[in-house]
């Protein structure tokens, strides 16, 4: 499962669940949803007409800076 941040012009929470995902939180006033979905479904979700932006929420791995 991949955690994504979704910006949409309509409520896509039912679509997320239909894709095998889970809605973690919603901010309807912003048109934002944080959800977990199968990684293979990210592009399909992003292609929906009502979805304006999808960002994969992941940690960025980096080396610790030298002193």
């Amino acid at each position: 499962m991949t955690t994504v941040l979704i910006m949409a012009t309509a409520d896509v929470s039912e679509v997320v669940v239909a894709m095998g995902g889970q809605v973690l939180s919603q901010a309807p006033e912003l048109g934002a949803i944080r959800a977990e979905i199968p990684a293979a479904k990210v592009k399909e979700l992003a292609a929906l007409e009502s979805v304006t932006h999808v960002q994969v929420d992941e940690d960025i791995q980096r080396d610790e800076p030298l002193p």
Side-chain angles (χ1 to χ4, degrees):
M1 296 292 262
T2 300
T3 303
V4 293
L5 305 172
I6 307 160
M7 300 297 292
T9 58
D11 184 6
V12 294
S13 57
E14 289 182 15
V15 175
V16 167
V17 173
M19 290 181 168
Q22 174 184 0
V23 174
L24 302 175
S25 62
Q26 291 182 293
E29 66 279 6
L30 300 174
I33 296 175
R34 184 170 178 261
E36 286 186 341
I37 62 169
K41 298 288 187 176
V42 173
K43 286 185 179 182
E44 183 179 338
L45 177 67
L48 295 174
E49 188 174 324
S50 61
V51 173
T52 59
H53 184 79
V54 174
Q55 178 179 333
V56 175
D57 186 19
E58 63 186 350
D59 292 332
I60 298 172
Q61 300 297 322
R62 63 179 179 91
D63 295 331
E64 290 298 317
L66 296 175

